[in-house]
Amino acid sequence: MAASPAYGEEKGGSSSLGEPEYGHDPASGGIFASDYKRHDDLKEMLDSNKDSLKLEAMKRIVAMIARGKNASDLFPAVVKNVACKNIEVKKLVYVYLVRYAEEQQDLALLSISTFQRGLKDPNQLIRASALRVLSSIRVPIIVPIMMLAIKEAASDMSPYVRKTAAHAIPKLYSLDSDQKDQLIEVIEKLLADKTTLVAGSVVMAFEEVCPERIDLIHKNYRKLCNLLIDVEEWGQVVIINMLTRYARTQFLSPNQNESLLEESAEKAFYGSEEEDTKDAKAEAASLAKRKPYVMDPDHRLLLRNTKPLLQSRNAAVVMAVAQLYFHLAPKAEVGVIAKALVRLLRSHSEVQYVVLQNVATMSIKRRGMFEPYLKSFYIRSTDPTQIKILKLEVLTNLANETNISTILREFQTYIRSMDKDFVAATIQAIGRCATNIGKVRDTCLNGLVQLLSNRDELVVAESVVVIKKLLQMQPAQHSEIIKHMAKLTDNIQVPMARASILWLIGEYCEHVPKIAPDVLRKMAKSFTNEEDIVKLQVINLAAKLYLTNSKQSKLLTQYVLNLAKYDQNYDIRDRARFIRQLIVPTEKSGALNKYAKKLFLAQKPAPILESSFKDRDHFQLGSLSHLLNAKAVGYQELPDWPDEAPDPSVRNVEVPEWTKCTSREKRKEKVEKPFYSDSEGESGPTESADSEPESDSEESGSSSSSGTSSSSSEEEDEEEEEEGSGEQSEEKEGEEEEEKRKKRKEKGGLRKASPGSAGSEEEEEAEGKKVKKAAGPQGKKGHAETSSEEASASESSSSGSDSGTEAPIVVEAKRRKAIPSSKASPKEISLLDLDDFTPPPPQPVSSSSIISTSLVTDLEGLTLTDTSLAPALLSPAFGAVRTYELLHRMAGEGLSVEYCFSRRPFPGDPHMVAVQIQISNNTDAEVKSLRVSEPKLLAGMRIQEFPEIESLAPGDTASVVMGIDFCDSTQAANFQLCTHTRHFYVSIQPPVGELMAPVFMSENEFRKEQGKLTGMSEITEKLTLPEKCRSDHAIVQQVTSAANVGRVPCGADNEYRFAAKTVTSGSLVLITLEWREGAAAQLTVNSEKMVIGTMLVKDIIQALAQ
Amino acid sequence: MIHSLFLINASGDIFLEKHWKSVVSRSVCDYFFEAQERASEAENVPPVISTPHHYLLSVYRHKIFFVAVIQTEVPPLFVIEFLHRVVDTFQDYFGICSEVMIKDNVVVVYEVLEEMLDNGFPLATESNILKELIKPPTILRTVVNTITGSTNVGDQLPTGQLSVVPWRRTGVKYTNNEAYFDVIEEIDAIIDKSGSTITAEIQGVIDACVKLTGMPDLTLSFMNPRLLDDVSFHPCVRFKRWESERILSFIPPDGNFRLLSYHVSAQNLVAIPVYVKHNINFRDSSSLGRFEITVGPKQTMGKTIEGVMVTSQMPKGVLNMSLTPSQGTHIFDPVTKLLTWDVGKINPQKLPSLKGSMNLQAGTSKPDENPTINLQFKIQQLAISGLKVNRLDMYGEKYKPFKGIKYMTKAGKFQVRT
């Protein structure tokens, strides 16, 4: 090896080492002769104090391990070097240790303290590697130490260390499964982690330790879906597989309506889908219970977020998504996976092998999906045989009346292949095509008969077998073929083929009355030399002939039976005895004799030639079990769809509420402590020692916290917001936030939203949700973008309550419910779940695919790894979306159009304000080609029209997004809304608050910017706060509902700061609200754009005064 | 997940083993050898073998079997894809992946394997990160290590694992900043006896070699992105930009990587650049057969076809062939019955041909199967689909990089049936 010459020098220096073999290349085999002396050298080298010697020795030892040679007797010498300074030596020692620790448990313990020290190192990479090695040492004695280390690492501030902790969980579990309960706690904690780095590893741990605890996933479901695209590829595979199972337990089958519709197919004409389902409802009492199918938004979220992964370069990821779609998607959408799967066929042959197996299964159920790609399955002579046979299987599955002629032509070339196994498989495939497609049966049969004269015996034999099966379907017309085959008995030697011919002749001896006895005669002659299966068929033939034509064949039959009686094989002896009793009447033979003819010559059903891949889809596709068609160890069954969807609210995420922390100073102190003290590691153990009681207290805390004062929940709310923004800028803030969390937890007051802790508050909340759910199944339906009436109803009711009670209504594009003012007690605020920053699940109304992809892009902007690249603009953490009317139902002759400012960045152009437009067709007729035309805009204003809506069925609602660049003015954008018959003049006038987008900045930045924007750019106004606007929450709520601004953290108790940038010019808008004693308050707006500032002040004051 | 890995060479020796969990005896490979015997040819060994206590998943590359031992349910592609990634990594590290190379660098191999999996679950598979953890051996480094006694293990702690762009190592520095992109298209086709195309499609890849300082953010746009029907990306490519604007936007890994692979939509007719005229006859009576092939250019867009190579697997009945090529060299291996004809460049004025006779086994009837002709060729400076890169821009760094784009068309699985 490299260092060996250097070592030669060393040798000269140290007198104790005198052996010449040192210079040898460790990789060359000779050195590994199990020579004790040689190991002595190694020991000496390890004991020396030169790193290069140690390294050389370790390299040789590792080379021994790699070749599978035993190096265990060096253990004491190696383990001493565990604390070596040289990184490479250390690494190689780790390799050795992990390999042999199990065998030398006592000695291995010597190394533990080194790792324990490493666990407290300030460098995260060292902490991680120490944990990695420690957990890889399979010594049962150290289980408690490992447990402790894992728990500690699970709350480490470094995501990389937490990832390592997740990896360590299955290791510990395999060492000691008694730790399961404790490990589940750790898994639960890590599942809540929001970094992509951890997600894959912890789901892996979940799958290995507690795949049955599906309840742990609920709270993390949406987060996992949203993080998925940024998780590393191997983690993606594991997460997708897990989510497939999860979805099968939590959602309803998307295809259930199909069976429903099929049942009431005759009624399903012209009427809208809704009517159909209504009819079906009325008709079948049993079906009445079933609601018309509406896809759960979470179900949709999963499908949408996994789809881009079909583009992954990793075949395993593509396969995972494909199986997810196959098992979970509505029939109409499954097709998208075909293209990606076909692409994988270009990959290595092993990949092809697996993919083709899965395609074979899929192509039975969904033939149409792969039909366009038929030619991709054509076989090349260079394919390995196993691939050829699988492709053949797929081709056969895809054959139908339209393409059968091309497929058969293709098969004809295959029959001439040199690969005989493949030719045999082709013949069977032809047989299957012939049975499945009646049209070509005769053609196939003729082709196969021609093959009977092939020179290759295997081909002939295979043809005979297949012909036999085909003939069974219509024997009468084919006596010619049977005669032809009878002649073959002279030449053909393959036992299976001979047996098939004999069976055929026996079965249809009435069609060939002259030939049959002759064949029997020949067979009787050669009986003793035949194979067993042939002998059995000879006996059968004899028996059948005896029954139909006893005159000619009586003697022959007896001769054959006599021969069989003394055969070596007991099966044949038994058969002979049994048949003799049945057919030859004696005084002893019983009643069965009379029925012998019925027994032997009964009409036999034709065999069904089926694919061996039929019904394989009860195994999860892409799994090992599916490939082997047998349950593999540890296989998790794919559950059936539930009949009733479990409560979807379990996936709503509750925002963790922080401990009350009134003054900024206090908080800051906590945050910053770890950064200044390098004793962070030392505080670790105490924390982890506490962790068990802590988790208890977490639970008790959650139940008791329902009693916490409402003032604290105001605080919580504030926190929530911060959490929201923190999430989006996690890249920067992640660490800090982790730290915060950790520190707070240490204080013991933290209340975590752990799914297991069913605190009373949570229950209360769930109840609240249920109430809202119960209030309208319609509302739910509306979410799932089907029925327009109901959607608009819920819409209008919400807007009604909006204007009526003037409570802040949160009509987010998510499942967030409006909070009626009566319920708007501070407690309810926790309802504003984490959805705030999880990117939106399916829009209640969106239907155009363009929007949905743009949503996907939005999602990506929010995920972590991209944050550094994403603009600092934030989507609103929080805000009320008000709906405005664009076209009234009356004015629009049944067409009603509403719009709202969704406050999301408009994809494609950051200078545009996204306007979400919802169009409902209340007429009786279909409205066609809805589009925007002739925009009349002021100079500089631009408009990005929504894509034309081809048609809108009566009662339907469509939602589209258009972008308008208002040039930072509140001038209305006028344009025409055209249908195929009418034009409507409409205009959109933005409230000033919608012309901006929130930005995130720190308090210091805010002050700095504010300092620049004084004088003319500063507008100050005094106001009095009405009674109900005197809580922090209400103020924040009102301000954010009036303008699209982001909250800026603020140290002072009674000051609120917000920041935003105008959409077009990007000028800063800073808002400060100072709350003095009582009702008095002062509002300051700083902005370059004076007009905007003035208007904003007016709007905010108005909002607050309400 | 992955329990152990065994590397087995063509002669059936296990020359490397690595265990990520407890040790699995190498006797488990006996099941593999059994299957290997049954399969007769290496490529027909089933990739998944079930044994009483384990499952063996294997890939066969560079004449080495990489056999992974699995104990519990795991998606088979997960393991297979990982094994291929291992091979790719070795290739990346050592230039070639061969038994000798692995044996020579056994310690590095072992260290790399150690980093790639933790407890059987993939940990670091990006070669950029791995190279930061364990430096690949180079001649220079070997010399330096010998003199200074330093090591292959990176002495700085690898921060790549913590990075937001895990595929790129940090602190990259080059004096010449350059980015090269190769657009390589392969034509897969089956041509039938009469010369008509049964199926033809174009698969392409864009391989990149990017050596840029710092954290460059690149965008690559096409003149005609609509051509691309189905694409798969390196994880660095931002999917949303592609979806919305059909632009490839990415922070590249350092060094060589495959940016994109694509499939050209099936509606576009594929131009077949070569044709093969063949006349292969086995006569029933005599033990001689006639053999004649001519290769000529068809739709080449004015470019020359180079590197033409014809291979054909002859039937077992052929004992020997006596052929004369008009250009190039040919070999017929009487054991494997493989005919190889290295043609070289096609000169349209004087088409290359190979003529002669075949000696058939006497006494047996004529073989009833016809050999298939496999074709390889290369066309420089042409992307047969017409795909064109529009521009390449760099953001995030100040310097001006040197950019280069090369096009090439190759034969993929190009077969002519006779």
Side-chain angles (χ1 to χ4, degrees), chain A residues 812-834:
Chain A
E812 280 279 355
K814 0 195 109 127
R815 318 179 61 233
R816 192 172 321 153
K817 311 296 186 299
I819 306 164
S821 62
S822 58
K823 286 206 143 213
S825 72
K827 187 129 291 166
E828 290 294 324
I829 286 147
S830 60
L831 270 176
L832 300 169
D833 47 28
L834 277 175

Side-chain angles (χ1 to χ4, degrees), chain A residues 397-683:
Chain A
N397 289 342
L398 294 180
N400 61 18
E401 298 226 335
T402 50
N403 59 21
I404 186 69
S405 55
T406 38
I407 289 182
L408 280 182
R409 207 175 314 129
E410 198 49 33
F411 282 180
Q412 271 167 18
T413 47
Y414 299 165
I415 283 170
R416 293 153 53 95
S417 162
M418 288 175 225
D419 184 343
K420 292 304 164 206
D421 293 336
F422 168 55
V423 174
T426 309
I427 293 169
Q428 284 185 357
I430 294 175
R432 262 181 57 203
C433 288
T435 46
N436 297 342
I437 302 162
K439 202 174 78 174
V440 293
R441 196 167 295 153
D442 288 343
T443 329
C444 289
L445 204 51
N446 284 338
L448 289 172
V449 170
Q450 275 171 25
L451 284 180
L452 291 178
S453 51
N454 193 294
R455 242 174 265 110
D456 192 288
E457 195 176 60
L458 275 168
V459 174
V460 178
E462 201 66 45
S463 313
V464 168
V465 176
V466 174
I467 289 174
K468 177 204 130 194
K469 288 179 181 162
L470 289 181
L471 285 186
Q472 256 183 292
M473 295 180 162
Q474 43 204 152
Q477 305 136 20
H478 299 297
S479 55
E480 275 310 306
I481 296 175
I482 296 173
K483 275 180 207 158
H484 183 90
M485 289 174 72
K487 284 180 204 149
L488 283 173
T489 48
D490 295 340
N491 304 320
I492 203 163
Q493 292 306 322
V494 180
M496 189 63 209
R498 286 176 81 85
S500 295
I501 296 174
L502 292 177
W503 184 89
L504 262 181
I505 293 171
E507 189 65 24
Y508 305 115
C509 52
E510 278 153 339
H511 300 293
V512 283
K514 287 193 181 137
I515 292 174
D518 203 41
V519 172
L520 181 61
R521 181 183 58 80
K522 280 186 190 164
M523 294 316 295
K525 225 160 107 186
S526 61
F527 186 83
T528 45
N529 301 325
E530 299 291 350
E531 286 282 330
D532 289 346
I533 44 166
V534 184
K535 283 178 179 169
L536 287 173
Q537 289 307 327
V538 175
I539 299 172
N540 270 352
L541 171 64
K544 284 170 185 167
L545 278 177
Y546 184 89
L547 290 171
T548 53
N549 185 0
S550 64
K551 216 191 278 171
Q552 271 185 308
S553 54
K554 187 169 181 184
L555 282 173
L556 269 174
T557 308
Q558 271 173 357
Y559 174 70
V560 168
L561 288 176
N562 278 335
L563 281 178
K565 197 170 165 186
Y566 299 106
D567 198 273
Q568 285 187 324
N569 185 306
Y570 53 78
D571 269 346
I572 294 167
R573 295 199 299 273
D574 283 354
R575 180 75 65 93
R577 201 168 296 136
F578 160 73
I579 283 181
R580 187 191 292 271
Q581 289 302 317
L582 261 177
I583 60 172
V584 185
T586 59
E587 64 275 19
K588 266 189 273 172
S589 65
L592 274 177
N593 196 350
K594 278 180 271 172
Y595 302 107
K597 206 164 181 173
K598 270 191 186 160
L599 281 174
F600 281 101
L601 294 169
Q603 196 74 37
K604 294 167 186 79
I608 303 161
L609 298 180
E610 271 184 340
S611 165
S612 57
F613 287 88
K614 197 163 183 278
D615 293 331
R616 269 218 205 168
D617 61 336
H618 65 269
F619 288 115
Q620 185 168 3
L621 264 83
S623 68
L624 187 61
S625 304
H626 169 266
L627 190 85
L628 299 168
N629 201 15
K631 216 171 144 183
V633 182
Y635 173 71
Q636 296 285 322
E637 289 281 353
L638 192 62
D640 272 333
W641 295 103
D643 291 333
E644 282 293 322
D647 183 10
S649 63
V650 291
R651 282 182 295 279
N652 293 348
V653 183
E654 187 189 358
V655 174
E657 292 171 44
W658 306 121
T659 41
K660 189 175 173 183
C661 175
T662 41
S663 84
R664 181 169 183 274
E665 281 69 41
K666 227 192 216 168
R667 200 187 303 160
K668 198 176 171 190
E669 187 185 81
K670 281 182 212 153
V671 171
E672 282 171 358
K673 199 168 159 194
F675 288 131
Y676 297 128
S677 73
D678 36 14
S679 62
E680 186 263 321
E682 281 156 36
S683 68

